[in-house]
Amino acid sequence: MNHTDIARYRLLNQQIAMPIFTHPGEVVQWLGAMQAQDYLGALWAVGLRMAHATEQMIEQAVTEKTIVRTWPMRGTIHFVAPADVRWMLELLTPRVIQRSQGRLKQLGLDAAMITASAHVVANALQGGKQLTRNELYALLEAAQIATSNQRGLHILGQLAHQQLICFGARAGKQPTFTLLDEWVPHAKSLPLDEALARLAMCYFTGHGPATIQDLIWWSGLTTSAAKNAIALCAGQLAHERIGDQEYYWHQRMPSTLHDARGIHLLPPFDEFLVGYRDRSAALDPQYNTMVVPGSNGIFNPIIVLDGQVVGTWKRVLSQTGVILTFSPFSSGNAIDAQSLVAPAERYGNFLGKRATVQI
């Protein structure tokens, strides 16, 4: 296996090439967690990993609670399966909470303030209620808890990390929040070793081949915990040393790369890149700033050709159509308007709109 093979195997294991799943919940559970702070992009991230999907289908899965949107790792919003949300929060958020203490102190948010906020939010959401961010901010302000200067955002993040709230269904175009215990009442805890093993298996099944450093980046585990996680499921993992790194993947990984070709349009923050510390197998480092301008953590939507990131794209919506503008990194890439028609039409069908291609 070489580095080009790594990227193509990831296309297959991430269900981007030759997707086999028919339900959004299956996709999310397969990958373990999918970054989802860009909500509309995250809907497409799930949809492109299904044989047939529409945006309404993915959003319906959120409404029906077969996928859950919350802050399970790295202080970042993800989609997770309802069966995984409780143990994942318990395993991964304590370190996030610990690392956030300095910022909370700067904002004047001590433990007593977070506890008071929890009482206000819990009382407001009891009985299955779903409220928007501004509605919750208004309630906190009425209780003399200031929400300006990012205080409100950090309060809600802390309450999610503490397993009090998660996202509910959207109200129009606005996200809502609801009580985690009421939204997914049957979500269970797991013993530490079982949780570690399950996390590692989810990651290397849906993201492999990948390294322990990739697992640490994705999950936020300590190095010792990540090593333990791999050891706990070593019997189900294959591994190989490529260059100076040891790569792991599920033993049932596809044995051929025949289907790992073609052009794919991936949304911003897609797991194909953001799920790894080292992205060089799929993205030539010379193009890093084109995908993450300013190195500020904001990922552009990407064009992937045969496993390699070869450009970026953006969309402009109208009432009936979507214009897709493509920006290849190099004229030497084997992409042109005609080769982009099929992936553009697939995205347009996902949105229920006619797609127009521009380069």
Side-chain angles (χ1 to χ4, degrees):
M1 189 185 299
N2 56 40
H3 278 82
T4 300
D5 294 335
I6 290 170
R8 291 177 178 173
Y9 275 122
R10 287 174 180 173
L11 278 180
L12 293 168
N13 287 332
Q14 287 214 15
Q15 301 298 309
I16 296 169
M18 299 301 291
I20 61 174
F21 296 123
T22 59
H23 192 279
E26 296 174 313
V27 174
V28 173
Q29 190 161 42
W30 177 263
L31 270 81
M34 298 178 66
Q35 194 155 331
Q37 77 266 42
D38 184 307
Y39 182 75
L40 297 179
L43 297 179
W44 173 231
V46 178
L48 69 89
R49 290 170 166 85
M50 297 169 58
H52 303 284
T54 64
E55 191 173 62
Q56 292 80 3
M57 184 186 300
I58 315 304
E59 191 146 34
Q60 186 64 27
V62 177
T63 301
E64 293 177 350
K65 312 169 190 177
T66 55
I67 58 177
V68 179
R69 189 168 178 246
T70 189
W71 282 268
M73 58 181 68
R74 303 198 311 272
T76 303
I77 301 169
H78 286 71
F79 282 142
V80 294
D84 297 334
V85 63
R86 178 73 67 187
W87 66 262
M88 199 172 284
L89 286 165
E90 291 175 347
L91 177 66
L92 300 177
T93 59
R95 293 191 74 213
V96 177
I97 294 172
Q98 183 180 32
R99 289 197 300 268
S100 68
Q101 293 308 302
R103 179 56 177 154
L104 294 179
K105 185 175 181 180
Q106 290 177 347
L107 294 171
L109 294 172
D110 57 16
M113 188 71 70
I114 298 299
T115 299
S117 300
H119 286 307
V120 171
V121 171
N123 289 334
L125 295 177
Q126 280 182 354
K129 294 185 180 68
Q130 301 173 54
L131 297 178
T132 66
R133 180 180 287 112
N134 286 339
E135 288 171 334
L136 289 177
Y137 285 1
L139 292 170
L140 290 168
E141 293 282 352
Q144 305 302 308
I145 299 172
T147 60
S148 58
N149 299 322
Q150 297 189 331
R151 282 168 55 97
L153 183 63
H154 282 273
I155 289 170
L156 296 183
Q158 289 294 305
L159 299 186
H161 292 146
Q162 295 175 7
Q163 305 168 51
L164 178 68
I165 62 172
C166 66
F167 286 94
R170 283 203 299 174
K173 295 184 178 181
Q174 296 299 314
T176 68
F177 298 85
T178 191
L179 294 178
L180 180 69
D181 284 345
E182 294 183 352
W183 193 249
V184 280
H186 302 298
K188 295 181 179 180
S189 302
L190 290 178
L192 177 59
D193 281 357
E194 187 176 346
L196 285 170
R198 187 161 174 175
L199 186 75
M201 284 306 305
C202 283
Y203 181 70
F204 291 115
T205 297
H207 292 75
T211 68
I212 186 172
Q213 289 80 13
D214 293 325
L215 172 62
I216 291 168
W217 152 255
W218 180 76
S219 65
L221 289 173
T222 63
T223 300
S224 61
K227 289 179 177 178
N228 188 27
I230 291 173
L232 287 166
C233 58
Q236 301 176 70
L237 296 176
H239 60 94
E240 180 180 337
R241 193 161 191 85
I242 305 169
D244 60 353
Q245 294 287 342
E246 196 77 15
Y247 286 81
Y248 298 86
W249 60 88
H250 195 287
Q251 289 179 342
R252 296 197 303 269
M253 185 172 73
S255 58
T256 177
L257 291 173
H258 176 73
D259 296 320
R261 292 189 176 273
I263 298 179
H264 305 278
L265 305 183
L266 274 56
F269 302 101
D270 192 85
E271 290 290 317
F272 185 68
L273 281 187
V274 79
Y276 307 92
R277 180 179 180 183
D278 181 359
R279 299 162 187 138
S280 61
L283 176 62
D284 188 322
Q286 70 176 309
Y287 300 126
N288 281 347
T289 56
M290 296 184 180
V291 174
V292 190
S295 300
N296 58 5
I298 304 299
F299 284 69
N300 283 327
I302 55 175
I303 310 165
V304 176
L305 172 64
D306 299 340
Q308 297 300 301
V309 181
V310 296
T312 60
W313 62 282
K314 61 182 179 180
R315 72 176 197 177
V316 176
L317 295 175
S318 68
Q319 287 188 343
T320 59
V322 55
I323 299 173
L324 302 181
T325 303
F326 298 95
S327 301
F329 294 153
S330 167
S331 59
N333 294 324
I335 56 174
D336 53 30
Q338 187 58 41
S339 66
L340 291 163
V341 167
E345 287 181 345
R346 185 184 178 207
Y347 182 63
N349 291 337
F350 176 77
L351 299 178
K353 294 179 178 290
R354 180 177 59 85
T356 302
V357 173
Q358 293 184 349
I359 294 184

